[in-house]
Amino acid sequence: MAGEQRSLDSLRAVVPGPPTLEEIRAWPATVGVPDAAKALGISKSHLHALIKRGESPVRTLSFGARHRCVTADLVRLLEAA
């Protein structure tokens, strides 16, 4: 049993899961699409497609071809889940 726990802990260190709500609350005001996608549990390509269609679940700021996601919207969405 103890060996299994050590294996799980080492796996988590190599393959980190999604960020916790507390970690997301500590993020800057906006984050890039890859971080926002991790927080939402979707791929960054899917989030890019949602943004392109105007269907992003969080507010985004566009700077030419680059996009930033509003952290406060991520927090509100995840708190409601």
Side-chain angles (χ1 to χ4, degrees):
M1 184 79 170
E4 284 180 37
Q5 185 60 41
R6 274 191 294 246
S7 295
L8 289 174
D9 290 341
S10 63
L11 180 61
R12 285 188 191 108
V14 174
V15 183
T20 65
L21 190 53
E22 285 305 310
E23 291 170 332
I24 295 167
R25 284 186 179 116
W27 285 358
T30 64
V31 294
V33 170
D35 288 330
K38 277 184 194 172
L40 295 170
I42 60 176
S43 71
K44 63 182 180 179
S45 60
H46 184 64
L47 184 52
H48 274 293
L50 290 172
I51 292 168
K52 186 176 180 180
R53 292 194 310 256
E55 298 174 3
S56 174
V58 295
R59 281 184 297 157
T60 59
L61 305 173
S62 298
F63 301 98
R66 301 184 77 100
H67 303 282
R68 302 287 293 175
C69 298
V70 177
T71 303
D73 278 11
L74 282 169
V75 170
R76 273 192 289 273
L77 180 66
L78 295 171
E79 283 176 336

